[in-house]
Amino acid sequence: MTQTFDPASLTYDANGLIPAIAQDHATGEVLMLAWMNAESIARTLATGQVTYWSRSRQGFWAKGETSGHVQRLVEMRIDCDRDCLLMLVDQVGPACHTNRRSCFYTALREGAEVEILKPMV
Amino acid sequence: MTQTFDPASLTYDANGLIPAIAQDHATGEVLMLAWMNAESIARTLATGQVTYWSRSRQGFWAKGETSGHVQRLVEMRIDCDRDCLLMLVDQVGPACHTNRRSCFYTALREGAEVEILKPMV
């Protein structure tokens, strides 16, 4: 298979990063947003396992490498400005470090924050 | 209605911005990602019309103000780190400036970029 796509063709911020949204490929649920650099995109495409760049640890973050909650890449999509990625994934278990399926478990309802997802058991 | 939520309780980047994902509340389709500051979040909540901060124009961007392709806010969600927002929206027409429903119309398939959405008529 000839890879014609070049991660260098994307637009990165001043830190060399691009935001990546992870979406459950089957349910459409938005699971999380994290950041990638060109090399983490290349690793994601080469391995089929979503690999982010951890801004706090300043290192590669192969999602699930310690927890087992890996994200298998189903399809990568690029937005019109080429400065954001959408990763359709097959998520094992919770995507969130709080053990919830999605990081977006807080909703604003009638002006107040409401927890709409419980941790998975 | 008492608004207990304070946009200042969120975590913004060095430019005072937070990424906001817009998702079609009915279909689950991810439409776009743009940026907000605290005041654009307040405006969004007060008006029910999603208002971003345009980094290129350095000004408020009430989505659809010129095109008519407005986003009515259905529900705002906050992620675990409080540094990303998910806006469930009712999108009128295309979300993308290219007249496509979603900005994520380019997919990577077998190593090559493929256009998967056509402009709306």
Side-chain angles (χ1 to χ4, degrees):
Chain A
M1 184 174 74
T2 310
Q3 289 272 349
T4 59
F5 171 74
D6 180 1
S9 68
L10 301 174
T11 298
Y12 300 89
D13 70 10
N15 298 310
L17 301 176
I18 186 170
I21 303 161
Q23 181 180 32
D24 185 307
H25 80 103
T27 66
E29 187 176 18
V30 174
L31 301 171
M32 59 182 284
L33 179 139
W35 296 79
M36 293 187 167
N37 59 17
E39 174 61 21
S40 66
I41 295 170
R43 291 187 185 198
T44 297
L45 295 175
T47 65
Q49 301 289 334
V50 179
T51 300
Y52 300 101
W53 177 260
S54 168
R55 295 175 302 169
S56 54
R57 290 194 288 103
Q58 287 287 305
F60 292 104
W61 169 26
K63 174 74 181 161
E65 61 190 331
T66 52
S67 65
H69 302 146
V70 296
Q71 292 178 340
R72 186 178 62 82
L73 182 66
V74 175
E75 184 165 282
M76 183 179 120
R77 295 185 186 167
I78 305 163
D79 84 340
C80 52
D81 292 333
R82 302 181 74 81
D83 64 0
C84 182
L85 300 175
L86 177 63
M87 299 286 176
L88 302 185
V89 303
D90 182 4
Q91 169 74 56
V92 173
C96 185
H97 73 288
T98 67
N99 224 39
R100 292 174 176 86
R101 179 70 180 171
S102 164
C103 294
F104 296 95
Y105 58 82
T106 303
L108 200 58
R109 292 183 180 171
E110 300 185 354
E113 295 185 24
V114 179
E115 183 185 321
I116 57 172
L117 286 177
K118 294 290 176 195
M120 296 173 76
V121 231
Chain B
M1 184 174 75
T2 311
Q3 289 272 348
T4 60
F5 171 75
D6 181 359
S9 69
L10 301 173
T11 297
Y12 299 89
D13 70 9
N15 298 311
L17 301 177
I18 185 170
I21 303 161
Q23 181 180 33
D24 186 305
H25 79 104
T27 65
E29 186 176 18
V30 174
L31 300 172
M32 57 184 284
L33 179 140
W35 296 79
M36 291 187 170
N37 58 17
E39 173 62 20
S40 67
I41 295 170
R43 291 188 186 198
T44 297
L45 296 174
T47 64
Q49 300 290 334
V50 179
T51 300
Y52 301 101
W53 177 261
S54 167
R55 295 177 300 170
S56 54
R57 289 192 289 105
Q58 287 287 303
F60 293 104
W61 168 27
K63 174 75 181 161
E65 61 189 332
T66 53
S67 65
H69 302 145
V70 297
Q71 291 179 341
R72 186 177 63 81
L73 182 66
V74 175
E75 184 165 281
M76 184 178 118
R77 295 184 185 165
I78 304 165
D79 84 341
C80 51
D81 292 332
R82 302 181 73 81
D83 64 359
C84 182
L85 300 175
L86 177 63
M87 300 286 175
L88 303 186
V89 303
D90 181 4
Q91 169 75 56
V92 173
C96 185
H97 74 288
T98 66
N99 223 39
R100 292 173 175 87
R101 179 71 180 170
S102 164
C103 294
F104 296 95
Y105 57 81
T106 303
L108 201 59
R109 293 182 179 170
E110 300 185 355
E113 295 185 24
V114 179
E115 183 185 322
I116 59 172
L117 286 177
K118 293 291 176 194
M120 297 173 76
V121 227

